[in-house]
């Protein structure tokens, strides 16, 4: 389906949604919006959103903070020009900035009563709590007010690393830990889909499973977290997902009975796998045919195949009990004087067009539940992705960071 056809389909869906709309958008956590606006934000509907905002955004400039390095070309060379094709009178200035430093800049300006140095911020999930509690995020219900994205998954649209923000940060990028395998040596139907089956397969195929160290790469830490979700008791999992735990409590959790079955599993698995120092090392073993299967990031695998660093025969999948993923989002600053243009920009970045461009270039997942990215891109690219239905079924949120760190420390001592 072409982009124009997809956009038409989305427009029809939005119109239907607007027809059944129950009422105006309300500020998140307050009776009033904490951002100055030339229009009454409570009166915006999916039908009036674009025309109302475009009328007052004409000729304005927005500063866009981007905390990443890898997404810079995506924004500068692709998404911002595509946005300007729709809104030529709105200027977007892209600035790469460290995520934590960007938040501190916003906080300093807010506390000094100055205009925010940025209007829109693509920010790290781990900084959302600090930024929101400091009052630098506009309390806009982005998860419900953006007409281009009426189908955002509830949890990533309202929660960041266990912190409930209510929709003021909209998920733009989703990443996913996964199991990567090479179909030249392992048929898809033979790929083990449980932790127990991985152990059995590794025992039958010593050295063929490349396991990224939990201490040396994010996919390894994700594999450890996923094992906790699958092998620990329900009560222990609930504690691991308690983001109010302090580091001392996390160390106590990791030293106790909760982690014992997980450590027992890795202790048994260790003799039959190749433990690597990082994500790239694992992918290199697969690329060279040394390993048939390993722990990977889906987006990095997608990128490596596209650049010819991995053979096109490599695929990714998720275990039946689920594997953890995360992502990062977009917010509008409370100190912006250009909220209309900022809203139009964020709305575009969540649109079909932008999300399809993003996955095609970066392998970056979307939190849009009805946007089937596999169907929107060509077959060669789609083959590099976990099928959308499988992703929606088996993707899991990460556990508390302090628990993950404490579990990794025990992993290093007992397994490495």
């Amino acid at each position: 389906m072409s982009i124009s056809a997809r956009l038409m389909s989305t427009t029809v869906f939005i119109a239907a949604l607007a027809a059944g709309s129950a009422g105006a958008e309300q500020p998140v956590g307050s009776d009033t919006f904490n951002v100055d606006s030339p229009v009454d934000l409570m009166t915006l509907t999916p039908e009036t959103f674009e025309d109302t905002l475009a009328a007052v955004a004409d000729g304005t400039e927005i500063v866009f903070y981007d905390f990443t390095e890898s997404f810079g070309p995506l924004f500068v060379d692709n998404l911002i020009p595509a946005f300007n094709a729709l809104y030529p009178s709105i200027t977007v200035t892209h600035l790469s900035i460290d995520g934590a430093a960007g938040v501190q800049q916003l906080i300093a300006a807010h506390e000094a009563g100055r205009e925010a140095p940025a209007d829109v911020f693509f920010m790290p999930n781990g900084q959302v709590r600090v930024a929101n509690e400091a009052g630098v995020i506009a309390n806009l219900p982005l998860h419900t007010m953006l007409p281009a994205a009426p189908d955002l998954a509830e949890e990533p649209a309202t929660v960041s690393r266990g912190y409930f923000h209510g929709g003021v940060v909209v998920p733009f990028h989703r990443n996913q830990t996964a199991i990567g395998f090479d179909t030249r040596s392992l048929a898809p139907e033979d790929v083990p889909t449980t932790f127990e089956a991985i152990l059995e397969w590794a025992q039958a195929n010593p050295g063929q499973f490349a396991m990224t160290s939990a201490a040396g790469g994010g996919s390894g830490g994700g594999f450890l977290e996923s094992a906790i979700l699958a092998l620990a008791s329900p009560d222990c999992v609930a504690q691991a997902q308690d983001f109010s735990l302090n580091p001392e409590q996390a160390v106590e959790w990791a030293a106790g009975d909760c982690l014992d079955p997980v450590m027992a599993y890795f202790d048994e698995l260790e003799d039959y796998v190749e433990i690597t120092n990082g994500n790239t090392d694992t992918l290199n073993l697969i690329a060279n045919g040394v390993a048939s299967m390993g722990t990977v990031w889906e987006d990095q695998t997608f990128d490596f195949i596209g650049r010819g660093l991995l053979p096109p025969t490599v695929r990714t999948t998720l275990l039946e009990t689920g594997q953890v993923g995360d992502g990062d989002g977009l917010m509008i600053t409370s100190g912006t004087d250009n909220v209309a243009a900022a809203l139009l920009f964020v709305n575009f970045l969540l649109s079909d067009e932008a999300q399809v461009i993003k996955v095609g270039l970066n392998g970056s997942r979307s939190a849009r539940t009805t946007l089937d990215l596999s169907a929107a891109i060509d077959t060669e690219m789609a083959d590099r992705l976990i099928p959308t239905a499988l992703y929606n079924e088996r993707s899991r949120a990460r556990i508390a960071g302090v628990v993950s760190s404490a579990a990794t420390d025990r992993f290093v001592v007992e397994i490495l």
Side-chain angles (χ1 to χ4, degrees), residues 172-192:
F172 173 72
H173 160 64
R174 306 300 296 169
N175 55 31
Q176 180 63 49
T177 61
I179 299 299
F181 62 97
D182 192 340
T183 58
R184 292 177 301 180
S185 54
L186 185 58
E189 61 269 21
D190 295 330
V191 175

Side-chain angles (χ1 to χ4, degrees), residues 38-333:
V39 301
D40 184 352
L41 297 172
M42 290 189 183
T43 65
L44 290 178
T45 68
E47 288 181 323
T48 64
F49 183 94
E50 184 171 355
D51 290 343
T52 301
L53 296 176
V56 296
D58 187 60
T60 59
E61 176 185 0
I62 55 175
V63 175
F64 176 44
Y65 273 4
D66 167 20
F67 85 101
T68 71
E69 294 181 1
S70 59
F71 276 62
L74 169 70
F75 289 121
V76 173
D77 299 333
N78 296 275
L79 296 184
I80 292 175
F83 174 75
N84 284 143
L86 296 174
Y87 306 100
S89 68
I90 299 176
T91 301
V92 179
T93 299
H94 173 273
L95 296 176
S96 293
I97 189 167
D98 176 79
V103 169
Q104 291 305 312
Q105 285 186 12
L106 293 172
I107 292 174
H110 179 71
E111 291 179 345
R114 301 193 307 267
E115 180 183 349
D119 304 285
V120 179
F121 193 179
F122 177 36
M123 68 177 300
N125 248 8
Q127 289 288 315
V128 172
R129 179 190 294 270
V130 173
N132 199 40
E133 292 183 351
V136 299
I137 301 180
N139 61 351
L140 302 165
L142 296 177
H143 66 311
T144 59
M145 75 185 302
L146 300 178
D151 54 347
L152 291 169
E154 182 71 16
E155 182 170 344
T158 57
V159 179
S160 295
R161 294 286 176 87
Y163 172 67
F164 180 77
H165 56 73
V168 299
V169 179
V170 69
F172 173 72
H173 160 64
R174 306 300 296 169
N175 55 31
Q176 180 63 49
T177 61
I179 299 299
F181 62 97
D182 192 340
T183 58
R184 292 177 301 180
S185 54
L186 185 58
E189 61 269 21
D190 295 330
V191 175
T193 58
T194 67
F195 281 94
E196 294 79 4
I198 284 178
L199 175 59
E200 293 176 5
W201 187 89
Q203 290 171 332
N205 301 274
Q208 285 290 299
F209 183 73
M211 185 177 75
T212 312
S213 168
S219 67
F223 192 61
L224 174 58
E225 290 186 30
S226 300
I228 290 171
L229 296 180
L231 304 176
S233 70
D235 286 344
C236 289
V237 169
Q239 294 169 35
Q241 294 172 325
D242 182 356
F243 284 76
S244 69
L245 293 181
N246 60 41
E248 293 75 20
Q249 292 170 320
V251 169
E252 182 179 355
W253 181 94
D257 296 341
C258 281
L259 202 56
D260 285 351
V262 181
M263 289 298 101
Y265 173 81
F266 282 109
D267 185 57
E268 190 172 2
L269 180 66
E270 175 193 8
D271 293 335
Y272 304 98
V273 302
E274 184 71 27
I275 299 178
T276 72
N277 291 323
N279 304 311
T280 300
D281 291 342
T282 296
L283 291 176
N284 284 339
L285 290 181
I286 296 174
N288 295 327
V290 176
S292 299
M293 183 171 62
T295 58
V296 302
W297 285 103
E298 180 193 30
D299 53 346
Q300 185 183 29
T301 304
F302 181 98
D303 176 58
F304 271 40
I305 296 172
R307 291 195 284 146
L309 301 176
L310 277 173
T313 50
V314 172
R315 299 288 184 268
T316 51
T317 190
L318 297 178
L319 300 178
E320 292 174 10
T321 48
Q323 291 184 251
V324 297
D326 199 18
D328 304 288
L330 298 158
M331 65 92 148
I332 295 174
T333 62

